[in-house]
Amino acid sequence: MPPHVLILGGTTEARELAAVLTAFPGVRVTTSLAGRVSRPGTVTGEVRIGGFGGAEGLARWLREERVDALVDATHPFAAGITANAARAAAATGVPAVVLRRLGWEPGPEDRWHPVPSLDAAADLLPSLGRRVFLTTGRLGLAAFAHLTDLHFVVRSVEPPEPPLPPRTEVLLARGPFTVDDETALLSAHCVDVLVTKDSGGSATSAKLTAARQLALPVVVVRRPALPEGVTAVPDAAGVLERLGFSPR
């Protein structure tokens, strides 16, 4: 068993993994958070806040702190961090695992429009609706700022960063959300198109069910590809297996 595990966190899966790993005697667990959320959830074990300074800085930290295993449990769209983690692991020889929740899959009644990026989502929107429920997080909204004729309802945990579309209503909320709540929100705001990233998981999936029931089109931004040669596991059990932890 690796005596010191560094988890690149910020997700529910990262918190759950930290709790599992700290239960093993003799294992030191450090979870690193970017510090972008003012009220992160409770994390078991040691916590550090802030970036490392790219792949080189992360590699230096791995060496200085004698890290024996690295788990990238960041958000599926944190492509820059994932790339840096892969390079740092390769440079130091530290075993690395990517923990990613499974993505969403459309059903036969879903009206999904998969796109590769936020810019592609913005290009498609005018042909689908005029009132948009935008749930892609507080970063990257500049991609929609030029759509002056559309009305946006933006939901995020923290206040979004400008520039924003000129006709924007901001809702600050943290999941999980129920199907009834999401249906009521979509109806109250007369939403006719939903935009989301394929974050996966159950905490924010109720909006997809609500959109299906209301027959609304959904623009789904696909996940960025993992670095070449990197594969992911979907849960803590997969991480334990990869790192050689014995079942408890």
Side-chain angles (χ1 to χ4, degrees), residues 118-119 122 125 134 140-150 152 161-168:
L118 293 176
D119 288 334
L125 272 182
L134 189 57
L141 299 187
F144 304 92
H146 66 286
L147 297 175
T148 58
D149 292 335
L150 305 187
F152 288 85
E161 296 187 358
L164 306 177
R167 300 171 62 187
T168 295

Side-chain angles (χ1 to χ4, degrees), residues 216-234:
L216 299 181
V218 181
V219 181
V220 181
V221 182
R222 293 192 294 264
R223 297 178 176 189
L226 291 171
E228 185 176 355
V230 174
T231 58
V233 297

Side-chain angles (χ1 to χ4, degrees), residues 127-221:
S127 66
L128 296 176
R130 312 303 296 176
R131 297 184 63 84
V132 184
F133 185 32
L134 189 57
T135 64
T136 56
R138 68 188 182 93
L139 304 176
L141 299 187
F144 304 92
H146 66 286
L147 297 175
T148 58
D149 292 335
L150 305 187
H151 179 89
F152 288 85
V153 178
V154 174
R155 183 171 69 196
S156 64
V157 175
E158 302 280 335
E161 296 187 358
L164 306 177
R167 300 171 62 187
T168 295
E169 182 178 355
V170 176
L171 306 177
L172 298 181
R174 184 192 299 269
F177 305 102
T178 68
V179 174
D180 287 344
D181 288 341
E182 297 291 58
T183 302
L185 186 152
L186 293 171
S187 300
H189 291 275
C190 301
V191 168
D192 51 19
V193 58
L194 166 66
V195 182
T196 185
K197 292 179 177 178
D198 180 16
S199 300
S202 59
T204 60
S205 63
K207 63 192 172 189
L208 300 174
T209 304
R212 181 189 312 125
Q213 294 176 352
L214 295 172
L216 299 181
V218 181
V219 181
V220 181
V221 182

